[in-house]
């Protein structure tokens, strides 16, 4: 079946550091890929998405590129802020009519001033 | 745009008591609806999804059930809660066409004593 693997957390960085959170997937067909962010005590918000190979999703300084050859969708940001502290989830959708999401386990990011 | 409302935000229930969590959707008609659970230290797991009124699909065997009495209403229930039902429950809507991301509510934190 479909699955998503994320790097273990927590990831601890100083403000303005470069961020990479690794995400790889296993899927049949042509899934869409997503990054969701969960701030403390809140639900999930869509951060960015990519729907086909070589697409780059970007939002709020974050970006991720859909790499079919390596089945990866790594999240990057050039300069993190304290306000970026949250849990980040990588997910895929199988693009059937049911659009069920399969999530990774999440990676907690802690940014210190 | 689509908005997902969930309540209550937090709930503390004794073992063996019943449960009813409600989710409603604004801004769209005939959405796909989903219930996810996030257990402590684990990722998000899809529990149920619904593509229409009265249509419920269960993803994992469990102590919970779901119902969709109206187009924009999705209810998660249990007749007798177990300790293992503790977690953060998230309702999501959307994803009814290819590549469309799901939108999440703010979640309900359920603690079983």
């Amino acid at each position: 079946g479909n699955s998503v693997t994320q790097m273990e957390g927590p990831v601890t960085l100083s403000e303005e550091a470069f961020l990479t959170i690794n995400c790889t997937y296993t899927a049949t067909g042509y899934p869409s890929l997503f990054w969701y962010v969960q701030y403390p005590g809140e639900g999930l918000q869509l951060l960015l998405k990519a729907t086909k190979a070589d697409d780059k999703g970007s939002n709020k300084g974050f970006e991720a590129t859909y790499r079919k050859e390596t089945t990866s969708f790594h999240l990057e940001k050039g300069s993190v802020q304290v306000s970026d502290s949250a849990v980040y989830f990588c997910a895929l959708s199988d693009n059937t009519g049911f659009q069920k999401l399969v999530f990774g386990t999440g990676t907690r990011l802690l940014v210190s001033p | 745009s689509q908005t997902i409302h969930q309540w209550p935000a937090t709930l503390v229930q004794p073992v063996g008591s019943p449960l009813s969590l409600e989710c409603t959707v604004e801004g769209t008609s005939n959405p796909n609806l989903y219930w996810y659970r996030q257990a402590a230290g684990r990722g998000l797991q899809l529990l149920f999804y619904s593509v229409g009124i009265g249509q419920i699909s269960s993803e994992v065997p469990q102590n919970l059930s779901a119902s969709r009495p109206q187009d924009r209403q999705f209810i998660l229930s249990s007749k007798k809660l177990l300790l293992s039902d503790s977690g953060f429950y998230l309702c999501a809507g959307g994803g009814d066409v290819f590549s469309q991301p799901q939108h999440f509510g703010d979640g309900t934190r359920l603690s079983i004593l």
Side-chain angles (χ1 to χ4, degrees):
Chain A
N2 297 339
S3 66
V4 175
T5 302
Q6 278 182 246
M7 62 188 291
E8 297 265 344
V11 173
T12 304
L13 295 173
S14 298
E15 208 165 21
E16 299 183 2
F18 184 85
L19 168 71
T20 300
I21 300 178
N22 290 338
C23 170
T24 57
Y25 67 90
T26 302
T28 55
Y30 304 94
S32 293
L33 301 174
F34 305 88
W35 277 100
Y36 282 85
V37 58
Q38 184 180 31
Y39 297 102
E42 298 183 12
L44 271 68
Q45 301 175 28
L46 177 68
L47 182 59
L48 53 84
K49 69 172 186 177
T51 59
K52 61 183 187 297
D54 300 325
D55 266 4
K56 178 184 281 188
S58 61
N59 186 26
K60 299 180 181 179
F62 291 89
E63 57 182 36
T65 302
Y66 189 143
R67 301 286 187 199
K68 191 168 177 62
E69 64 276 13
T70 54
T71 62
S72 65
F73 193 53
H74 304 322
L75 182 68
E76 297 182 335
K77 186 174 185 182
S79 176
V80 294
Q81 305 300 312
V82 172
S83 57
D84 293 326
S85 298
V87 180
Y88 292 82
F89 291 92
C90 185
L92 69 80
S93 170
D94 59 7
N95 278 338
T96 65
F98 303 123
Q99 292 291 87
K100 293 181 285 183
L101 286 173
V102 175
F103 284 89
T105 53
T107 302
R108 182 175 299 278
L109 171 65
L110 301 170
V111 181
S112 56
Chain B
S1 64
Q2 189 180 106
T3 304
I4 309 295
H5 299 284
Q6 273 188 256
W7 64 91
T10 59
L11 189 60
V12 180
Q13 292 283 99
V15 169
S17 63
L19 173 74
S20 180
L21 301 181
E22 189 163 344
C23 169
T24 59
V25 182
E26 284 183 10
T28 186
S29 59
N30 196 31
N32 287 357
L33 295 174
Y34 310 83
W35 277 110
Y36 293 87
R37 177 171 59 202
Q38 185 178 24
R42 300 178 63 181
L44 283 149
Q45 182 181 40
L46 178 64
L47 302 177
F48 300 97
Y49 66 95
S50 170
V51 299
I53 296 174
Q55 300 180 63
I56 308 295
S57 296
S58 174
E59 285 292 288
V60 294
Q62 60 198 296
N63 182 43
L64 302 169
S65 62
S67 62
R68 187 167 176 178
Q70 300 179 42
D71 181 43
R72 302 179 193 182
Q73 184 183 31
F74 201 26
I75 298 172
L76 185 69
S77 304
S78 173
K79 292 182 180 178
K80 286 186 179 181
L81 286 167
L82 306 173
L83 283 174
S84 58
D85 292 324
S86 293
F88 192 49
Y89 288 83
L90 287 159
C91 179
D96 54 335
V97 294
F98 288 173
S99 310
Q100 183 172 341
Q102 293 176 20
H103 297 275
F104 286 79
D106 287 336
T108 296
R109 186 161 302 283
L110 176 63
S111 300
I112 310 300
L113 304 178

